[in-house]
């Protein structure tokens, strides 16, 4: 039995489709930080967080740009992480007006979250 077998897929889907989560096609774990517990100082609809965007679909791009008004995406991953998983943010139709900014939160080229997690 894997860790994924422990969760009922219907419960996971319902959870990831309810606030603070916002369904964005092709993106996992997209959520409005203004609706997250402990973030009452952030206005809802202002700041979002998600997993990486390499599987973002054109429909998901429309959700980000048109429905949510996203104008800037800050990629906080290190260059090492992006390269290791071959997950640079791709060009996606519909995101022409969105600026992508690489802003790694780690220092140095040797940063790797998997390695740090094992320490």
């Amino acid at each position: 039995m894997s860790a994924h077998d422990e969760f009922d897929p219907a419960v996971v889907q319902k959870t990831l489709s309810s606030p603070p989560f916002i369904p964005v096609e092709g993106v996992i774990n997209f959520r409005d930080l203004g609706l997250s517990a402990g973030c009452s100082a952030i206005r809802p609809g202002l700041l979002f967080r998600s997993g990486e965007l390499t599987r973002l679909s054109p429909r998901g791009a429309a959700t980000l740009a048109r429905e949510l008004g996203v104008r800037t995406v800050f990629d906080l991953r290190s260059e090492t992480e992006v390269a290791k998983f071959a997950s640079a943010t791709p060009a996606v139709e519909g995101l022409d007006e969105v600026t992508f900014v690489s802003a790694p939160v780690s220092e140095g080229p040797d940063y790797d979250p998997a390695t740090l997690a094992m320490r």
Side-chain angles (χ1 to χ4, degrees), residues 32-108:
D32 185 333
L33 290 181
L35 297 175
S36 296
C39 294
S40 61
I42 300 171
R43 180 175 52 85
L46 179 67
L47 186 62
F48 304 97
R49 188 246 184 249
S50 74
E52 50 90 14
L53 302 176
T54 57
R55 293 181 181 89
L56 182 66
S57 69
R59 180 187 226 165
T63 300
L64 291 182
R66 291 188 210 117
E67 294 175 32
L68 299 173
V70 171
R71 293 292 170 252
T72 305
V73 172
F74 293 93
D75 188 341
L76 305 178
R77 300 170 299 153
S78 69
E79 290 179 23
T80 302
E81 185 177 5
V82 171
K84 180 176 180 179
F85 298 103
S87 60
T89 301
V92 177
E93 184 179 324
L95 289 183
D96 303 331
E97 296 180 20
V98 176
T99 302
F100 287 85
V101 178
S102 177
V105 295
S106 66
E107 295 188 25

